Amino acid sequence: MLEIIKDERGFLSLFDSLLAVFLLFMVFIAFNMAMEIEVPSLSEENSDFKTSQDLMEILSSKATDRDHSTLEIISYTLDYNNNSLSSQREVTRILDEFFSIYFTRGNYSFAETSQLGGKVLSSRGNVMDGDEVTVAIRHHGNYSYKLYVS
């Protein structure tokens, strides 16, 4: 035992170096394991969010063959007819046609929240049945529109 303490043969330095190599090896293993962990990207997690925002962007953008966006058309239709039931039916027809073209999967609900008190103008399915519900909001004139997608 006294010979180990004096360390004339280098046993302690050998043991010390083996311990350092072992610790370094453990750090490399931990780093390698951390690099292999799958982390989903935000774009994969929020595809519904992108869908609701994209749909609302299409609604509020002007197509090449029209002078007004769909959002402008429905706002004008409601405003010109003082939010009458016939104007709401016309807006529902316009929106149903739009969503049949641009949104073929999932559930949605499109509502006007400022002038009509949250009245749903167009919908498909029960939006609240989905795991995640995302919302896109746009304003035009005195009208505020919300699109719920699940």
Side-chain angles (χ1 to χ4, degrees):
M1 181 79 169
L2 188 58
E3 291 177 11
I4 293 177
I5 295 175
K6 290 182 182 179
D7 193 23
E8 292 178 4
R9 296 185 181 176
F11 286 119
L12 284 179
S13 61
L14 179 65
F15 179 73
D16 185 40
S17 62
L18 286 176
L19 183 62
V21 168
F22 176 75
L23 289 175
L24 189 62
F25 184 68
M26 295 304 287
V27 168
F28 283 138
I29 288 176
F31 181 74
N32 191 25
M33 289 176 63
M35 295 302 290
E36 295 294 322
I37 294 175
E38 292 284 330
V39 178
S41 70
L42 292 176
S43 62
E44 290 173 0
E45 290 181 3
N46 295 325
S47 63
D48 287 336
F49 176 72
K50 285 183 177 181
T51 302
S52 64
Q53 292 295 327
D54 288 346
L55 284 169
M56 201 53 114
E57 192 63 31
I58 293 169
L59 274 168
S60 60
S61 66
K62 295 179 182 177
T64 57
D65 60 340
R66 296 191 312 229
D67 291 334
H68 303 288
S69 70
T70 306
L71 220 55
E72 290 172 337
I73 292 169
I74 64 175
S75 296
Y76 176 77
T77 303
L78 290 170
D79 189 41
Y80 183 75
N81 297 309
N82 295 324
N83 302 326
S84 68
L85 287 176
S86 63
S87 66
Q88 292 176 28
R89 280 189 223 111
E90 177 64 20
V91 167
T92 298
R93 185 193 63 76
I94 293 169
L95 289 170
D96 287 345
E97 182 179 319
F98 172 84
F99 286 116
S100 69
I101 294 169
Y102 291 104
F103 190 63
T104 57
R105 64 165 183 83
N107 299 326
Y108 69 89
S109 180
F110 185 89
E112 198 291 319
T113 57
S114 64
Q115 298 293 319
L116 302 177
K119 179 168 175 66
V120 174
L121 297 172
S122 180
S123 68
R124 179 175 60 215
N126 187 356
V127 177
M128 298 306 164
D129 283 346
D131 294 337
E132 292 183 15
V133 177
T134 60
V135 180
I137 301 171
R138 294 290 187 280
H139 304 282
H140 187 272
N142 294 331
Y143 296 94
S144 179
Y145 301 103
K146 284 187 180 181
L147 174 63
Y148 302 89
V149 174
S150 68

